[in-house]
Amino acid sequence: MTVVGLGLCILFLLLSDAAATRQVKGELRRNLFANGIGLTPPMGWNSWNHFQCNIEEKLIRETADAMVSTGLAAVGYQYINLDDCWAELNRDSKGNLVPKSSTFPSGIKALADYVHSKGLKLGIYSDAGTQTCSKTMPGSLGHEEQDAKTFASWGIDYLKYDNCYNTGTSPKERYPVMSKALLNSGRLIYFSLCEWGQEDPATWAPKIGNSWRTTGDIVDNWESMTSRADENDKWASYAAPGGWNDPDMLEVGNGGMTIEEYRAHFSIWALSKAPLLIGCDIRAMDNITFSLLTNTDVIAVNQDKLGVQGKKVKKDGDLEVWAGPLSNNRKAVVLWNRSPSTATLTAYWSDIGLNPTNVVNAHDLWTHWTQSAVKEKLSAKIESHACKMYVLTLQ
Ligand code: GAL
């Protein structure tokens, strides 16, 4: 073969590989992370948003108990994830991470056994740097193999891997080391990258992890929640079964937003195929929080097997239409009034990828009422900061 022929051949292979990688419409992409898990976004709970560093084993056990007794587990929430502050500041003489004896006296293995006995999974947290963000425990940089083996030996199912106190090298160099270590650990561990979207992780993390934060930390208010949703939206085309964009954990139930704002937060996270990680105290949540978090129609959109991230498809000032395809030719649609007053929002079929002649049944996922034989457009009068969410099925 001539040099030109060889060059053309290589170019062809590169282009076809790029095309395969972009072919995300619900089929497993090539180049996805090799652990084969996370085929739908993870659902569970994480300690950080509500408790920050105030965690101890009794709280985690009680949270696992509440996950089951409230019915959250029955609708799909399964991970109980420890965030920062679970370990001693120093490693032991062999370089192992040590659970903090004042707060986790029984150790993490015993905690994992307890969580598993409830039919749930246990997640843990570390950092691709010398210390975690709280500065109260060591990071895993330079200890990746050892720490991954420790996590596997304890029965850990999920690792959130943060980015504080790194040595200034790119996350593209540091995160693959832990990814490989987890694959070699002998246990299937979901890998959640948390480099805050700094180096556009959607473009490189699908090969090494199951989800990647696209944003800085969420705060329990409208401004923070909406800006996280928008930043995450930019990366929609990179999400697929096995690898998800992560706009940070849920604040639903923490008290800083209105019910309608929390309903929109949950609806948009579900449509965006975001990890649904509850961030409130589920031992003491009120009925409204519970009913938002357990809307099985909304959860079904998030967990739909097609795995295509819905996105913002129309914006008229603060009046927005978000939509995405679901399995069996259905569409999920959110009409979201981000303006300060009540308004009428409309999604035309052309906005949401339907043919102008299509006739649909529109199921309202929050009122549970179905409008039949809808043509051309879907309209609704919606309060300030509230949303409506539908699944459209072709007639
Ligand atoms: C941040 C991270 C948060 C939380 C916190 C713990 O970097 O984004 O989600 O994990 O560290 O210190």
Side-chain angles (χ1 to χ4, degrees):
M1 195 187 286
T2 64
V3 176
V4 176
L6 186 65
L8 283 173
C9 193
I10 291 172
L11 185 66
F12 173 76
L13 286 174
L14 286 174
L15 287 176
S16 57
D17 191 53
T21 310
R22 278 200 307 270
Q23 189 202 343
V24 296
K25 305 273 186 226
E27 287 160 34
L28 264 188
R29 272 184 324 198
R30 283 167 62 191
N31 284 341
L32 272 179
F33 186 33
N35 68 1
I37 55 177
L39 297 181
T40 59
M43 294 176 64
W45 173 90
N46 172 292
S47 54
W48 185 255
N49 282 358
H50 191 86
F51 296 97
Q52 288 90 47
C53 274
N54 302 314
I55 54 172
E56 38 93 32
E57 62 183 39
K58 182 164 168 281
L59 161 70
I60 306 303
R61 284 170 184 247
E62 286 175 4
T63 299
D65 294 345
M67 197 69 120
V68 175
S69 65
T70 56
L72 285 169
V75 297
Y77 295 95
Q78 58 170 348
Y79 289 103
I80 302 284
N81 292 350
L82 301 175
D83 208 281
D84 205 349
C85 310
W86 60 268
E88 293 288 359
L89 182 58
N90 296 308
R91 292 172 180 268
D92 70 10
S93 58
K94 297 194 181 110
N96 293 311
L97 290 167
V98 182
K100 200 167 174 185
S101 63
S102 58
T103 47
F104 291 89
S106 318
I108 304 296
K109 169 88 173 70
L111 190 58
D113 289 347
Y114 184 79
V115 168
H116 292 155
S117 77
K118 301 241 130 195
L120 302 170
K121 295 180 189 295
L122 187 69
I124 209 158
Y125 163 98
S126 189
D127 186 285
T130 54
Q131 283 191 309
T132 65
C133 300
S134 69
K135 282 188 97 173
T136 65
M137 55 177 275
S140 291
L141 192 65
H143 296 264
E144 291 88 350
E145 285 286 330
Q146 183 174 14
D147 291 353
K149 291 219 161 64
T150 300
F151 298 148
S153 74
W154 287 342
I156 293 295
D157 304 295
Y158 184 119
L159 174 67
K160 171 176 173 181
Y161 203 43
D162 214 340
N163 195 29
C164 280
Y165 303 102
N166 61 65
T167 48
T169 55
S170 164
K172 291 183 200 170
E173 287 169 36
R174 286 174 287 113
Y175 282 76
V177 185
M178 180 54 92
S179 168
K180 203 165 152 229
L182 292 174
L183 286 177
N184 291 338
S185 72
R187 190 172 170 88
L188 274 181
I189 299 179
Y190 182 104
F191 189 33
S192 153
L193 287 80
C194 177
E195 60 80 279
W196 317 307
Q198 285 193 343
E199 290 203 21
D200 300 346
T203 63
W204 50 270
K207 288 181 202 162
I208 63 157
N210 300 112
S211 55
W212 45 89
R213 279 271 295 277
T214 53
T215 72
D217 288 13
I218 195 168
V219 180
D220 186 16
N221 64 51
W222 168 256
E223 192 48 51
S224 174
M225 184 273 284
T226 53
S227 60
R228 257 78 324 223
D230 289 345
E231 274 176 57
N232 187 66
D233 185 46
K234 293 179 201 149
W235 306 104
S237 65
Y238 293 88
W244 310 104
N245 291 307
D246 176 2
D248 206 358
M249 300 166 299
L250 297 167
E251 291 285 7
V252 178
N254 279 332
M257 288 183 247
T258 66
I259 295 168
E260 291 313 317
E261 290 171 346
Y262 279 144
R263 193 192 309 281
H265 177 19
F266 193 66
S267 301
I268 290 291
W269 261 236
L271 181 90
S272 305
K273 302 292 189 282
L276 296 182
L277 295 173
I278 300 171
C280 71
D281 183 354
I282 60 170
R283 300 168 308 169
M285 65 187 155
D286 57 27
N287 290 340
I288 286 164
T289 300
F290 177 75
S291 71
L292 293 177
L293 295 172
T294 55
N295 182 321
T296 50
D297 286 344
V298 176
I299 291 172
V301 169
N302 181 256
Q303 298 290 304
D304 183 67
K305 66 177 193 298
L306 192 61
V308 176
Q309 180 172 334
K311 54 189 182 208
K312 194 184 303 199
V313 295
K314 184 177 164 188
K315 178 171 161 58
D316 175 9
D318 287 333
L319 310 182
E320 298 184 352
V321 179
W322 293 57
L326 298 174
S327 54
N328 299 327
N329 263 329
R330 294 166 307 143
K331 303 276 180 203
V333 182
V334 176
L335 304 179
W336 193 9
N337 180 2
R338 286 167 61 164
S339 83
S341 38
T342 300
T344 298
L345 282 79
T346 303
Y348 291 93
W349 283 184
S350 57
D351 298 329
I352 57 177
L354 285 176
N355 188 308
T357 56
N358 284 150
V359 180
V360 307
N361 289 339
H363 181 59
D364 182 323
L365 306 192
W366 288 110
T367 63
H368 308 292
W369 189 71
T370 302
Q371 251 175 284
S372 340
V374 187
K375 294 176 183 163
E376 289 170 39
K377 63 180 184 194
L378 197 57
S379 273
K381 195 171 169 192
I382 300 176
E383 274 174 47
S384 166
H385 291 191
C387 77
K388 288 253 178 200
M389 185 169 189
Y390 306 89
V391 168
L392 309 187
T393 310
L394 290 175
Q395 272 203 336

